[in-house]
Amino acid sequence: KIGQSSIALRTEAPTLPLIWELLEEVPGKQQRQPRVLGHPLRYMLELYHRSADPHGHPRENRTIGATMVRLVRPSANTAMPLRGPWHIQTLNFPLRQNRVGYQLVRATVVYRHQLHLSRFHLSCHVEPWVQKRQTNHFHSTRSGSSKPSMLSKSWAEMDITQHIQQKLWNHKGRRILQLRFMCQQQKAGQVLELRWHGTSSLDIVFLLFYFNDTHKSVYKAKALPRGLAEFTGRDPPLLRRAR
Amino acid sequence: QAGTIRSEVPGPSQEHDGPESSQCSLHPFQVSFHQLGWDHWIIAPYLYSPNYCKGTCPRVLRHGLNSPNHAIIQNLINELVDQSVPQPSCVPYKYVPISILLIEANGSILYKEYENMIAQSCTCR
């Protein structure tokens, strides 16, 4: 029945959490979405195997630090004109309202910090992108906890939890996080420039949002920093209980 | 009047409670997400073992079944007062969670731990 009469089911089963989640998350069979392949899926499969055994039982010693992790890929990318040795792409990440009952504990951007194109070597990093006329500004990525940590030889992870607190509304009223994926080329070459414009960063830069289920961890929960409550779309659980 | 009641409660017997194998217990059961019609959504794990509880509840609920006081009283009511009140049912007692990796409709990939998805033991209540 999912996808066909979800409204009717919602009214019939308003208190069944799993039914709610299925109605929200399960795509209809007829709406079979294209398989997400490549790096993001491989990354999440690794995360899964570190956190659960082959039967799906969560591992006792898992270090994930959250009960839910969402990987968000950029919806669009734009290659900027070449600036000396710098190759730059702007990436748009659509942010959606968090589901009630889940608390954001951390947000990171994961990206390839080493790229090889046409035998050329590029060193890459990610920066928040702010349009000139935009009034809301990011904090510097070079400060505090935003320094990238190397996950492996090929992946780097940078904490952007503070950035998520910003009100990132675009002119259409959607929440969009814009990041610049910047790669520095060791040797100049026209062939590489052409290759760069054809390179899609949609597969090599993505966001990870870590959430905890506040239904069961309400006693452990700390009050959210200002801004995260806005992102999650509700009051922190402790405030709600006090009220 | 516990003493009076106790004297009227028959002890456990194979005759009334059925053979050992049909008594309330946990039964292993495995299903694939393909069978549930969710394989276009759930990437891992491939198989899911929800298990289930099945069997008759004994007329005298032994300690290991973790039955609440209410179930013991309901058994007595069924036995001594009114047989239209049913005996307690064999249902899951403890559950464990399952971790699932899935693809959402918008293409996001989600790791999520769902509570109470696998029955681990049974009780009569």
Side-chain angles (χ1 to χ4, degrees):
Chain A
K1 285 185 179 178
I2 289 167
Q4 293 172 11
S5 56
S6 60
I7 295 171
L9 273 174
R10 276 172 192 274
T11 52
E12 283 172 20
T15 57
L16 299 173
L18 183 60
I19 295 295
W20 273 100
E21 294 203 5
L22 293 174
L23 291 172
E24 284 183 11
E25 291 176 2
V26 181
K29 273 272 186 188
Q30 65 279 14
Q31 314 163 347
R32 186 177 286 262
Q33 78 275 18
R35 278 282 184 193
V36 182
L37 298 172
H39 296 302
L41 181 58
R42 250 176 279 159
Y43 187 94
M44 287 300 277
L45 277 170
E46 278 180 30
L47 181 144
Y48 180 85
H49 292 309
R50 282 201 310 272
S51 307
D53 69 15
H55 302 287
H57 302 135
R59 296 188 191 278
E60 288 281 331
N61 58 351
R62 62 192 184 282
T63 55
I64 196 167
T67 56
M68 186 166 91
V69 183
R70 173 174 284 118
L71 182 148
V72 176
R73 301 166 71 223
S75 61
N77 67 332
T78 312
M80 312 282 278
L82 197 66
R83 293 179 188 173
W86 287 100
H87 297 68
I88 303 169
Q89 289 191 15
T90 306
L91 304 168
N92 288 348
F93 293 87
L95 303 181
R96 72 180 204 186
Q97 197 87 324
N98 185 31
R99 191 182 305 138
V100 173
Y102 287 90
Q103 178 188 19
L104 180 74
V105 291
R106 195 156 65 100
T108 63
V109 55
V110 179
Y111 59 96
R112 306 279 286 194
H113 62 90
Q114 302 282 351
L115 279 184
H116 298 280
L117 292 176
S118 302
R119 288 177 290 174
F120 286 92
H121 177 77
L122 294 99
S123 300
C124 306
H125 72 273
V126 170
E127 279 188 6
W129 168 247
V130 184
Q131 285 178 335
K132 285 179 183 173
R133 289 183 184 175
Q134 202 167 325
T135 52
N136 300 307
H137 298 282
F138 284 111
H139 299 290
S140 167
T141 55
R142 299 285 182 193
S143 65
S145 60
S146 294
K147 287 180 181 174
S149 62
M150 301 303 165
L151 295 175
S152 66
K153 285 180 181 176
S154 51
W155 293 102
E157 184 175 24
M158 188 170 70
D159 194 306
I160 56 165
T161 313
Q162 289 187 346
H163 301 322
I164 297 298
Q165 298 172 42
Q166 309 289 314
K167 293 180 178 175
L168 308 165
W169 305 104
N170 71 357
H171 64 280
K172 289 179 181 171
R174 293 180 189 144
R175 282 199 84 199
I176 301 282
L177 176 66
Q178 286 195 310
L179 297 176
R180 285 202 306 180
F181 184 52
M182 306 175 71
C183 293
Q184 190 174 21
Q185 183 184 334
Q186 303 301 325
K187 295 175 186 174
Q190 282 188 328
V191 176
L192 180 57
E193 186 181 354
L194 289 173
R195 282 287 185 100
W196 173 258
H197 280 274
T199 301
S200 173
S201 303
L202 302 180
D203 202 32
I204 51 180
V205 185
F206 49 82
L207 305 182
L208 291 177
F209 292 101
Y210 294 79
F211 297 95
N212 263 338
D213 185 346
T214 55
H215 291 117
K216 68 170 186 177
S217 61
V218 67
Y219 298 108
K220 296 178 188 171
K222 297 174 184 173
L224 287 172
R226 190 176 294 173
L228 285 186
E230 186 270 330
F231 174 72
T232 58
R234 60 183 183 81
D235 293 336
L238 295 181
L239 290 180
R240 195 174 54 198
R241 291 181 73 215
R243 190 185 295 160
Chain B
Q1 299 295 322
T4 316
I5 293 173
R6 190 168 52 208
S7 67
E8 293 181 27
V9 176
S13 73
Q14 297 280 325
E15 224 173 272
H16 285 95
D17 297 339
E20 195 76 18
S21 60
S22 69
Q23 286 196 11
C24 177
S25 62
L26 183 71
H27 294 250
F29 187 79
Q30 205 166 57
V31 65
S32 70
F33 285 112
H34 174 73
Q35 288 173 289
L36 290 173
W38 293 344
D39 57 321
H40 65 300
W41 176 55
I42 292 173
I43 303 165
Y46 175 71
L47 294 171
Y48 167 38
S49 304
N51 305 328
Y52 64 92
C53 294
K54 185 180 175 183
T56 53
C57 287
R59 295 164 68 231
V60 176
L61 298 167
R62 65 179 190 275
H63 183 68
L65 279 172
N66 294 301
S67 292
N69 288 338
H70 178 270
I72 295 164
I73 300 300
Q74 186 166 326
N75 234 347
L76 289 174
I77 291 170
N78 167 269
E79 180 72 26
L80 304 174
V81 181
D82 187 347
Q83 289 204 335
S84 69
V85 177
Q87 282 186 288
S89 302
C90 177
V91 292
Y93 176 63
K94 280 187 178 173
Y95 300 94
V96 290
I98 188 173
S99 295
I100 284 177
L101 191 67
L102 55 94
I103 296 181
E104 294 179 296
N106 64 359
S108 299
I109 308 174
L110 193 69
Y111 165 91
K112 191 168 176 188
E113 294 171 14
Y114 285 89
E115 291 294 321
N116 305 328
M117 291 288 282
I118 298 170
Q120 198 180 36
S121 63
C122 302
T123 184
C124 287
R125 62 187 309 157

